[in-house]
Amino acid sequence: MYELGIVKRHITRAERGAVDRLAPFGVATVHEAMGRVGLMKPYMRPIYAGAQISGTAVTVLLQPGDNWMLHVAAEQIRDGDIVVAACTADNDDGFFGDLLATSFRARGARGLVIDAGVRDVKVLTEMGFPVWSKAVSAKGTVKSTLGSVNVPLVCAGALVQPGDAIVADDDGVVVVPAAMAAKAAEAAAAREANEGDKRARLASGVLGLDMYKMREPLERAGLKYID
Amino acid sequence: MYELGIVKRHITRAERGAVDRLAPFGVATVHEAMGRVGLMKPYMRPIYAGAQISGTAVTVLLQPGDNWMLHVAAEQIRDGDIVVAACTADNDDGFFGDLLATSFRARGARGLVIDAGVRDVKVLTEMGFPVWSKAVSAKGTVKSTLGSVNVPLVCAGALVQPGDAIVADDDGVVVVPAAMAAKAAEAAAAREANEGDKRARLASGVLGLDMYKMREPLERAGLKYID
Amino acid sequence: MYELGIVKRHITRAERGAVDRLAPFGVATVHEAMGRVGLMKPYMRPIYAGAQISGTAVTVLLQPGDNWMLHVAAEQIRDGDIVVAACTADNDDGFFGDLLATSFRARGARGLVIDAGVRDVKVLTEMGFPVWSKAVSAKGTVKSTLGSVNVPLVCAGALVQPGDAIVADDDGVVVVPAAMAAKAAEAAAAREANEGDKRARLASGVLGLDMYKMREPLERAGLKYID
Amino acid sequence: MYELGIVKRHITRAERGAVDRLAPFGVATVHEAMGRVGLMKPYMRPIYAGAQISGTAVTVLLQPGDNWMLHVAAEQIRDGDIVVAACTADNDDGFFGDLLATSFRARGARGLVIDAGVRDVKVLTEMGFPVWSKAVSAKGTVKSTLGSVNVPLVCAGALVQPGDAIVADDDGVVVVPAAMAAKAAEAAAAREANEGDKRARLASGVLGLDMYKMREPLERAGLKYID
Amino acid sequence: MYELGIVKRHITRAERGAVDRLAPFGVATVHEAMGRVGLMKPYMRPIYAGAQISGTAVTVLLQPGDNWMLHVAAEQIRDGDIVVAACTADNDDGFFGDLLATSFRARGARGLVIDAGVRDVKVLTEMGFPVWSKAVSAKGTVKSTLGSVNVPLVCAGALVQPGDAIVADDDGVVVVPAAMAAKAAEAAAAREANEGDKRARLASGVLGLDMYKMREPLERAGLKYID
Amino acid sequence: MYELGIVKRHITRAERGAVDRLAPFGVATVHEAMGRVGLMKPYMRPIYAGAQISGTAVTVLLQPGDNWMLHVAAEQIRDGDIVVAACTADNDDGFFGDLLATSFRARGARGLVIDAGVRDVKVLTEMGFPVWSKAVSAKGTVKSTLGSVNVPLVCAGALVQPGDAIVADDDGVVVVPAAMAAKAAEAAAAREANEGDKRARLASGVLGLDMYKMREPLERAGLKYID
């Protein structure tokens, strides 16, 4: 993986309907529905609270201190995409700001996930263009070395294939392989179906110990109550 | 300390009245009133700004990636408690979310302090359930290895005994030994009593150099003014 | 540099008009206008979102766990200053709180930039006194060892001379040498002048690839499009 | 990827001859020969200096605080393998010590690469069993939750497929896709071929500026020499 | 805990014989024998490889940037002690160097464990005076603010009572409560007794899967072997 | 400061004799002799233990992921220099390896101090070419963007002017302004002169408390001895 100097124009995007169904469940539920895999590292934080989106990944591999490929990526964005950018080395420079956000939005992007830095966060917040990043930095970047667009890459510890479904909210970012998007949406829905009932019971004072029948396994594991 | 597989049911909680008087003073003032001890490390951050609480500690010792003992702890919560959770190893997983918060609140908990990760932060914020944590992460946990409840433990660098008073706000978290809660409240009140006057004088342009009579000791220490 | 035990009373401040023109451009634009130099490290974060200020630097060199020199610095503040504080060693203690903020404001300070910790952030937020810091911590400090005021120092990786222009916003903090303030304001204005047009074109769907004429250099660099 | 509870028994290993030719080139050269891709993050450090190995990857996905799957992995080791272990969450526990090293060596393993902690480093050093890890920690682990063996995984930021060639030395760890091992060995050999000559010329005082013909491009880029 | 300005002269040290029996087992084994508790955080590293010691804790609580209390502590050292120092705030200054080491050794100290910085490491290495620390730094400290000696404290996440047994080696540092030292030594001996046999069997190629009878519980947990 | 695209050919180097006298004192003593200023941050670590050097600074400002200016710097090296390199943004790439070391040594360089990454550390160790760096990484760099040579810069938190004296050993790196080198050497010599006597007294069991006459000030500060 990680071929440099490549732009893949045609990628297989996760089915739109399934992708759109994922956002309301949120990252924690989708991650559980997937069998607890696909999460990016928790250092990826939103630039403002409250955004909750899903979309299909256009991937960008950047070089440290160089945002040239984000401009190349803009052309590959289709309506409903989320740009997912990684860098060949840890780097906190501000690779992305309000001009690129304007361009990405005009192309149909719903947000950006970048394992590096971002700037103009006040304007981005006013625009309502959500970004999940490793850092905020005003440090500018050059445009001189090639990376790639729409190659598989590792972003914040998670493998992302172009076209994969991405879900992001205040808890972080999760990747759903394109072929599993529909199944993940179903599993998330099933999972959430009985959460309302559980929540009501817990709110009434029922203990998880009883609701989840944990007392017996705890005792078997050797838990001792003392006074 | 740190015995594993133990739940202590009866603990001596700091006196409620004293504990309740602590919250309005805030963490910095209580910490000063205590002689500058008992603070957790500054990496403990609130999931949303503005919460300011005090309560009595129910302590939970967790294993990495395993939140079983939080369910065990729920049963031990009494009205006015704050759950204080530590882990036997550094771990940023999301040990706590909105279902546990619903249960904790139903049991009377005022908040959670956890030296690990938390998830569902958007819902927790909407619920107004305050959490101070080391990380936010959607990563789920298992329920298979015993820790303990209501044992003394070290949370974010501070020793916490079950029943201790806890104060938490935007500045962090401070631990007040149960037997010192009343005295700490008094000392905090005394400290704050003359802050109003100080603030007014400083606001009028009086210098701390003069108000605190620092000029002479500064000169003795060798401070030189040059032009 | 870094002479200890010195307070310089007379410093040459950047020209006020130029300094005041810098704030609206924001840190990223000023940093670009300066030729991409002078930024502090991205770990410097505002205690609340949205503040955007410029001012002239009163510098303070602190000792770890000791905020004595902040009191000394208060006397040197003139209307329109920003206090810039560094520490002789990494230290996250809460060197600054609401009383010092009251005093600094009364002396005319517009904000604080400190490569260390700050406390009372809730009150500071209510006061609207902006602070950029490395950490938030309720940990108190002593007053027993001399540092210096208005000496050149390194704050978060950037060299600051007393009197330099400082610009700070949600993206971070940038230092403009006093003699360059007017020129930086001009360059920032020139830079921003054609941003509106660029933004409009990008918003209409024009690609940066075409607007910035990147296609030819990308091809020359060897970029390959594949299907 | 990241299916849990799976052990893949038959994997396609990189060709042994090619793999064995890689070690002497070292990580930096192989990484260059690969087009500068495939490196693990630089926080992966050897437990002792001087080891330089290559081998084929047996991959292990661990759960935090749980080393069960390392025991499962032992059975899948073939002569010439390097075990590559990642964890579903950041965790510094000591997953591996001298007993597992004894077992791994008996099965033919040449070393371990683990994005987590290791212990018994003094004995491992005496045994000459090389390990690259994120941490050293005596903290023990449990054996209760399933991970997987020989699934694709991300280790320290690099994608590893079971059977890939791994090269590790004091500079870090690089992953070579199984199908590219022979080609990488050739490219590394070609690269090293003219290093001897370059080194001799540089040692004689010839400047890289002249040897690499950099003066003209530097001038074109605008470099100015001043006195 | 953490009373400031106190020196406790008489402490109850763990029984010498038991303490001396602990060193040869090493940290990992003692930690296991204790039920996996009492470890300091893994960021505590030895300044040179190969030291393996045990001793009784003389505790020192330091203020940031101030090593006064280490001089006070020297007087409290008895033959066989290990000095364990923590700081009221994170601080990497070089609190300890070769002169203090000379003094500590003359008083009978076997080493130092310090959750802060140390300097003169080359000379300390030549002297064979082992130190486990968070950092190495030449930064000097002042002598102006009181801490305490022989109070309970938290060092690198572990609670230490004066007189506790300390074991330190290349894997880190573990604390054994004074009253448990003899029992821990026995448990460690028992644990090590059958390690030789295990090692031999593993070296002969026997799998842990069989030796520890893991196949059945793995199958019950749902592990699937695929080809 | 930090002008880009500049090479200053003529710099005023600290006087050679004074510079050469500094190395044997080591970093901690020189830093003390200077009044405790000029130290680089403690994350700067030697690639191998035991090197102790002094020299005059040739400074290099690098761009992230780009080592072009190290080649430019080679030409500016004179016998007895130490190259001091900083980067416009945090970056751990391997900017320097054995070929550059061969060239630097041929030009007379005594070592490298780089606030970034280095590679080929095994060969550098065999060559005995000492490097102090923030990281070790095999990651290669490009040669496409200008930085500067022999401009003032901030390296690991310390201001360095071209020509300044640099001292580096296992404790870290300290910068001595060129004009102060002779004075610093004298002060270091004076400081060391009475260290031998102090060491002998401490070794004989005399306490620092008595030797430094600390008992009275400690009592005045309020220290209490309890039993």
Side-chain angles (χ1 to χ4, degrees):
Chain A
M1 65 187 290
Y2 278 1
E3 219 172 330
L4 297 173
I6 295 290
V7 182
K8 197 158 189 309
R9 269 185 294 223
H10 298 164
I11 63 175
T12 306
R13 287 171 167 83
E15 191 257 311
R16 169 69 79 93
V19 173
D20 288 354
R21 284 196 298 281
L22 289 170
F25 297 120
V27 172
T29 296
V30 171
H31 155 72
E32 291 288 346
M34 300 261 304
R36 298 197 168 170
V37 298
L39 265 190
M40 292 190 188
K41 300 238 175 196
Y43 63 70
M44 295 294 285
R45 303 303 304 145
I47 57 168
Y48 57 86
Q52 186 162 331
I53 63 171
S54 58
T56 36
V58 164
T59 66
V60 188
L61 185 60
L62 300 160
Q63 301 286 0
D66 192 313
N67 78 343
W68 215 9
M69 300 314 284
L70 287 174
H71 291 276
V72 174
E75 191 175 27
Q76 308 306 319
I77 295 172
R78 298 288 168 269
D79 193 51
D81 282 342
I82 292 174
V83 178
V84 177
C87 186
T88 59
D90 283 352
N91 187 235
D92 286 348
D93 286 355
F95 289 79
F96 181 88
D98 67 326
L99 287 181
L100 269 167
T102 300
S103 176
F104 277 25
R105 170 163 283 172
R107 306 292 300 178
R110 295 177 175 175
L112 170 71
V113 171
I114 181 165
D115 192 2
V118 63
R119 62 184 186 175
D120 299 332
V121 298
K122 194 176 186 175
V123 180
L124 294 174
T125 302
E126 288 161 6
M127 290 174 63
F129 189 90
V131 178
W132 285 257
S133 73
K134 187 173 66 157
V136 171
S137 170
K139 173 75 164 52
T141 47
V142 299
K143 292 161 200 6
S144 61
T145 308
L146 295 185
S148 285
V149 173
N150 282 333
V151 293
L153 48 72
V154 174
C155 180
L159 179 68
V160 187
Q161 301 276 357
D164 280 352
I166 304 295
V167 189
D169 66 14
D170 290 351
D171 287 349
V173 185
V174 69
V175 184
V176 180
M180 290 180 57
K183 205 169 146 191
E186 269 170 56
R191 192 177 163 82
E192 199 152 281
N194 55 37
E195 287 233 329
D197 176 54
K198 280 187 199 167
R199 191 174 289 110
R201 293 175 66 192
L202 293 168
S204 76
V206 173
L207 287 165
L209 285 177
D210 298 309
M211 193 170 81
Y212 301 115
K213 301 191 192 314
M214 290 173 172
R215 292 192 190 273
E216 197 266 339
L218 281 163
E219 191 183 345
R220 214 168 45 223
L223 189 67
K224 278 182 297 191
Y225 285 84
I226 60 177
D227 288 332
Chain B
M1 69 187 288
Y2 278 1
E3 218 172 332
L4 298 173
I6 296 290
V7 182
K8 198 156 188 311
R9 269 184 295 221
H10 298 165
I11 63 175
T12 306
R13 286 172 169 82
E15 190 258 312
R16 169 71 78 94
V19 173
D20 288 354
R21 283 195 299 280
L22 290 169
F25 297 120
V27 172
T29 296
V30 171
H31 155 71
E32 291 287 345
M34 300 262 302
R36 298 199 169 169
V37 299
L39 266 189
M40 293 191 187
K41 301 240 175 194
Y43 63 70
M44 295 293 284
R45 302 301 305 141
I47 57 168
Y48 57 87
Q52 186 162 331
I53 63 171
S54 58
T56 36
V58 164
T59 66
V60 188
L61 185 60
L62 300 161
Q63 301 285 1
D66 191 313
N67 78 343
W68 215 8
M69 300 314 283
L70 286 175
H71 292 276
V72 175
E75 192 174 25
Q76 306 307 318
I77 295 171
R78 297 290 168 268
D79 193 49
D81 282 342
I82 292 174
V83 178
V84 178
C87 186
T88 59
D90 282 353
N91 187 237
D92 287 348
D93 286 355
F95 288 80
F96 182 87
D98 68 327
L99 285 182
L100 269 167
T102 301
S103 177
F104 278 25
R105 168 163 283 172
R107 307 293 299 180
R110 294 176 176 176
L112 170 72
V113 172
I114 182 165
D115 191 1
V118 62
R119 61 183 186 175
D120 300 333
V121 297
K122 193 176 186 177
V123 179
L124 295 174
T125 302
E126 288 160 4
M127 289 174 63
F129 190 89
V131 178
W132 285 256
S133 73
K134 187 172 65 158
V136 170
S137 169
K139 174 76 166 52
T141 49
V142 300
K143 293 161 200 1
S144 62
T145 307
L146 295 186
S148 285
V149 173
N150 282 335
V151 293
L153 48 73
V154 174
C155 181
L159 179 67
V160 187
Q161 301 276 357
D164 281 352
I166 303 295
V167 188
D169 65 15
D170 290 351
D171 286 350
V173 184
V174 69
V175 184
V176 180
M180 291 181 58
K183 204 170 145 191
E186 270 171 57
R191 192 178 162 81
E192 199 152 281
N194 55 36
E195 288 234 328
D197 176 54
K198 280 187 200 166
R199 191 174 289 108
R201 293 176 65 194
L202 293 168
S204 76
V206 173
L207 286 166
L209 285 177
D210 298 309
M211 193 170 82
Y212 301 116
K213 301 190 193 314
M214 290 172 171
R215 291 192 192 272
E216 196 268 338
L218 282 163
E219 191 183 345
R220 214 169 44 226
L223 190 66
K224 280 183 296 194
Y225 285 84
I226 60 176
D227 287 334
Chain C
M1 68 187 288
Y2 278 0
E3 219 172 331
L4 298 172
I6 295 290
V7 181
K8 198 157 187 311
R9 268 185 296 222
H10 298 163
I11 63 175
T12 306
R13 286 173 169 82
E15 192 257 312
R16 170 68 79 93
V19 173
D20 288 354
R21 284 197 298 280
L22 289 170
F25 297 120
V27 172
T29 296
V30 172
H31 154 72
E32 291 287 346
M34 301 261 303
R36 299 200 168 167
V37 298
L39 266 190
M40 292 192 185
K41 300 237 176 196
Y43 62 69
M44 295 295 284
R45 302 302 305 143
I47 59 168
Y48 56 87
Q52 186 162 329
I53 63 172
S54 58
T56 36
V58 164
T59 66
V60 189
L61 184 61
L62 301 161
Q63 300 285 1
D66 191 312
N67 77 343
W68 216 8
M69 300 315 284
L70 287 174
H71 292 276
V72 175
E75 192 175 23
Q76 307 308 319
I77 295 171
R78 296 291 168 265
D79 193 50
D81 282 343
I82 292 174
V83 179
V84 178
C87 187
T88 60
D90 283 352
N91 186 236
D92 287 348
D93 286 356
F95 289 79
F96 181 88
D98 67 328
L99 286 181
L100 269 168
T102 301
S103 177
F104 278 24
R105 169 164 286 174
R107 306 292 299 177
R110 295 177 176 176
L112 171 71
V113 171
I114 182 166
D115 191 1
V118 62
R119 61 183 186 175
D120 300 332
V121 298
K122 193 177 185 175
V123 180
L124 294 174
T125 303
E126 288 160 6
M127 290 174 64
F129 189 90
V131 179
W132 285 257
S133 73
K134 186 172 67 157
V136 171
S137 169
K139 174 78 165 50
T141 48
V142 299
K143 292 161 200 4
S144 62
T145 308
L146 295 185
S148 286
V149 172
N150 280 335
V151 293
L153 48 72
V154 174
C155 180
L159 178 68
V160 187
Q161 301 277 358
D164 281 352
I166 304 293
V167 188
D169 65 14
D170 291 350
D171 287 349
V173 184
V174 69
V175 184
V176 180
M180 291 180 57
K183 204 170 144 191
E186 270 171 57
R191 193 178 162 81
E192 200 152 278
N194 54 37
E195 287 233 331
D197 176 54
K198 279 188 200 166
R199 192 174 289 109
R201 292 175 65 192
L202 293 168
S204 75
V206 173
L207 287 166
L209 285 178
D210 297 310
M211 193 170 81
Y212 302 115
K213 301 192 192 313
M214 291 172 170
R215 291 193 192 273
E216 196 267 340
L218 282 164
E219 191 183 345
R220 213 168 45 226
L223 190 67
K224 278 183 297 193
Y225 285 84
I226 60 176
D227 288 332
Chain D
M1 68 188 287
Y2 277 3
E3 219 172 331
L4 298 172
I6 296 290
V7 182
K8 196 156 190 310
R9 267 183 297 222
H10 298 164
I11 62 175
T12 306
R13 285 171 169 83
E15 191 257 314
R16 171 67 80 93
V19 172
D20 288 355
R21 284 195 298 280
L22 289 170
F25 297 118
V27 172
T29 297
V30 171
H31 154 72
E32 291 287 346
M34 299 262 301
R36 299 197 168 170
V37 298
L39 266 189
M40 292 192 188
K41 301 236 175 196
Y43 63 71
M44 296 294 285
R45 301 302 304 141
I47 58 168
Y48 57 86
Q52 186 163 330
I53 63 171
S54 58
T56 36
V58 163
T59 67
V60 188
L61 184 61
L62 300 161
Q63 302 285 0
D66 190 313
N67 78 342
W68 216 7
M69 300 314 285
L70 287 174
H71 292 276
V72 174
E75 192 175 24
Q76 307 307 318
I77 295 170
R78 297 291 167 267
D79 193 49
D81 283 341
I82 292 175
V83 178
V84 178
C87 187
T88 60
D90 282 353
N91 187 236
D92 286 349
D93 286 355
F95 289 80
F96 181 89
D98 68 327
L99 286 182
L100 269 167
T102 301
S103 177
F104 277 24
R105 168 164 284 174
R107 305 294 298 180
R110 294 176 175 177
L112 171 71
V113 172
I114 182 166
D115 190 2
V118 62
R119 60 184 187 176
D120 300 332
V121 297
K122 193 176 186 176
V123 180
L124 295 174
T125 303
E126 288 160 6
M127 290 173 63
F129 189 90
V131 178
W132 286 257
S133 73
K134 185 172 67 158
V136 171
S137 169
K139 173 76 165 52
T141 48
V142 298
K143 294 163 198 0
S144 63
T145 308
L146 295 184
S148 286
V149 173
N150 281 335
V151 293
L153 48 74
V154 174
C155 181
L159 178 68
V160 186
Q161 302 276 359
D164 280 352
I166 303 294
V167 187
D169 66 15
D170 290 351
D171 286 349
V173 184
V174 68
V175 185
V176 180
M180 291 179 57
K183 205 170 145 191
E186 270 170 58
R191 191 177 163 82
E192 200 152 279
N194 53 37
E195 288 232 331
D197 175 55
K198 282 187 199 167
R199 190 173 290 109
R201 294 176 65 194
L202 293 168
S204 76
V206 173
L207 287 165
L209 285 177
D210 298 310
M211 192 171 83
Y212 301 117
K213 300 189 193 315
M214 290 172 172
R215 291 191 192 273
E216 196 267 340
L218 281 164
E219 191 184 345
R220 215 169 44 224
L223 190 67
K224 280 183 297 195
Y225 284 83
I226 61 178
D227 286 333
Chain E
M1 66 187 291
Y2 275 2
E3 220 173 330
L4 298 173
I6 296 290
V7 182
K8 198 158 188 310
R9 268 185 295 223
H10 298 164
I11 62 174
T12 307
R13 286 172 169 81
E15 192 258 313
R16 168 71 78 96
V19 173
D20 288 354
R21 285 196 298 281
L22 288 170
F25 297 120
V27 172
T29 296
V30 172
H31 155 71
E32 292 286 346
M34 300 261 303
R36 298 198 169 169
V37 298
L39 265 190
M40 292 192 188
K41 300 237 175 195
Y43 63 70
M44 295 295 284
R45 303 302 305 143
I47 57 168
Y48 56 86
Q52 186 162 331
I53 64 172
S54 57
T56 37
V58 164
T59 66
V60 188
L61 184 61
L62 300 161
Q63 301 285 0
D66 191 311
N67 77 344
W68 216 7
M69 301 314 285
L70 287 174
H71 292 276
V72 175
E75 192 176 25
Q76 308 307 318
I77 295 170
R78 298 289 167 269
D79 193 51
D81 283 340
I82 293 174
V83 179
V84 178
C87 187
T88 60
D90 283 352
N91 188 235
D92 286 349
D93 287 355
F95 288 80
F96 181 90
D98 68 327
L99 285 182
L100 270 168
T102 301
S103 176
F104 277 25
R105 170 163 284 173
R107 307 292 299 178
R110 295 177 176 176
L112 171 71
V113 172
I114 183 167
D115 190 3
V118 63
R119 61 183 186 175
D120 299 332
V121 298
K122 193 175 185 176
V123 179
L124 294 174
T125 302
E126 287 160 8
M127 291 173 63
F129 190 89
V131 178
W132 286 257
S133 73
K134 186 172 66 158
V136 171
S137 169
K139 175 73 167 51
T141 48
V142 299
K143 292 162 201 0
S144 63
T145 308
L146 295 184
S148 286
V149 173
N150 281 335
V151 293
L153 49 71
V154 174
C155 182
L159 179 68
V160 186
Q161 302 276 358
D164 281 351
I166 304 294
V167 188
D169 65 14
D170 291 350
D171 287 349
V173 184
V174 69
V175 184
V176 180
M180 291 180 58
K183 205 170 143 191
E186 271 171 57
R191 190 177 164 82
E192 199 151 280
N194 54 39
E195 287 233 331
D197 176 54
K198 279 187 201 168
R199 191 173 289 108
R201 293 176 64 195
L202 292 168
S204 77
V206 173
L207 286 165
L209 285 177
D210 297 310
M211 193 171 82
Y212 301 116
K213 299 190 194 314
M214 290 173 172
R215 292 192 191 272
E216 197 268 339
L218 281 165
E219 191 182 346
R220 214 168 44 225
L223 190 66
K224 279 183 296 193
Y225 285 83
I226 59 176
D227 287 333
Chain F
M1 68 187 290
Y2 276 1
E3 219 173 328
L4 298 173
I6 296 290
V7 182
K8 199 158 187 310
R9 268 183 296 221
H10 299 164
I11 63 175
T12 306
R13 286 173 169 81
E15 191 258 314
R16 168 69 80 95
V19 172
D20 288 353
R21 285 195 297 281
L22 290 170
F25 297 120
V27 173
T29 295
V30 172
H31 153 73
E32 292 287 346
M34 300 261 303
R36 297 197 170 170
V37 298
L39 265 189
M40 293 192 187
K41 301 239 173 195
Y43 62 71
M44 295 295 284
R45 303 302 304 143
I47 58 168
Y48 56 86
Q52 186 163 330
I53 64 171
S54 58
T56 35
V58 163
T59 67
V60 188
L61 184 61
L62 300 161
Q63 302 286 1
D66 190 313
N67 78 343
W68 215 7
M69 299 314 284
L70 287 174
H71 292 275
V72 174
E75 192 175 23
Q76 306 307 318
I77 296 170
R78 297 289 168 269
D79 192 49
D81 283 340
I82 293 176
V83 179
V84 177
C87 186
T88 60
D90 283 352
N91 187 235
D92 287 349
D93 286 355
F95 288 79
F96 181 89
D98 67 329
L99 286 181
L100 269 167
T102 301
S103 176
F104 278 25
R105 169 163 284 173
R107 306 292 300 178
R110 295 176 176 177
L112 170 71
V113 172
I114 181 166
D115 191 2
V118 62
R119 62 184 186 175
D120 299 333
V121 298
K122 194 176 186 176
V123 180
L124 294 174
T125 303
E126 288 160 5
M127 289 173 64
F129 190 89
V131 179
W132 285 258
S133 73
K134 187 172 68 157
V136 171
S137 170
K139 174 74 166 52
T141 47
V142 299
K143 292 161 201 2
S144 62
T145 309
L146 295 185
S148 286
V149 172
N150 281 335
V151 292
L153 47 73
V154 174
C155 181
L159 179 68
V160 186
Q161 303 275 358
D164 281 351
I166 303 294
V167 187
D169 66 13
D170 290 350
D171 287 349
V173 184
V174 69
V175 184
V176 180
M180 292 180 57
K183 203 169 146 191
E186 270 170 57
R191 191 178 164 82
E192 199 152 280
N194 53 39
E195 287 234 330
D197 176 55
K198 280 187 199 166
R199 191 174 289 108
R201 294 176 64 193
L202 292 169
S204 76
V206 173
L207 286 166
L209 286 178
D210 298 310
M211 193 170 81
Y212 301 115
K213 300 190 192 315
M214 290 173 172
R215 291 191 192 274
E216 198 266 338
L218 281 164
E219 191 182 345
R220 215 168 45 225
L223 191 66
K224 280 183 297 195
Y225 285 84
I226 61 177
D227 287 335

